[in-house]
Amino acid sequence: MTLVCMMMVSCKPDGSDGKPEGQEYVDLGLSVKWATCNVGATSPEDYGHYFAWGETSPKDEYTEDNCSTCGKQMSDIAGNAQYDAATANWGGDWRMPTKAEQE
């Protein structure tokens, strides 16, 4: 079984103002506003943290043995603080984009 690690791209619901949790965003004229940095990054050029799918904390090493979500059937986790690293780390105004929003 292959583990999927990912960089975070975060979005927030349209219509929100300010810089929730101190994070900046850009309005691309789409359905959501997009974070200017990934979770764990300090600038737009920085990669930020990597997360296993459905996990909210980064690790030094990713294996099946240390994966809390391996084998779980999960699809849309956007906004669920138990599985969405953006929501868990930046708060309720932030979440991962849904598949439709990414497309």
Side-chain angles (χ1 to χ4, degrees):
M1 178 179 200
T2 303
L3 292 178
V4 176
C5 297
M6 61 182 178
M7 279 191 309
M8 292 300 305
V9 175
S10 305
C11 63
K12 61 191 227 58
D14 190 32
S16 300
D17 294 321
K19 290 171 35 177
E21 292 76 41
Q23 305 303 322
E24 293 185 9
Y25 60 85
V26 62
D27 186 348
L28 300 174
L30 304 171
S31 61
V32 293
K33 296 175 182 169
W34 295 86
T36 57
C37 293
N38 292 319
V39 172
T42 57
S43 72
E45 296 81 20
D46 188 4
Y47 288 111
H49 297 309
Y50 290 86
F51 300 87
W53 181 254
E55 292 191 359
T56 59
S57 297
K59 301 175 187 169
D60 292 330
E61 180 179 24
Y62 292 86
T63 66
E64 271 189 63
D65 292 334
N66 72 7
C67 178
S68 65
T69 56
C70 280
K72 288 188 177 182
Q73 293 295 329
M74 298 185 302
S75 55
D76 184 11
I77 61 173
N80 181 337
Q82 184 177 356
Y83 300 112
D84 183 330
T87 304
N89 287 277
W90 285 356
D93 283 340
W94 289 97
R95 61 176 171 77
M96 292 174 42
T98 63
K99 182 178 179 184
E101 289 165 342
Q102 292 178 55
E103 292 173 350

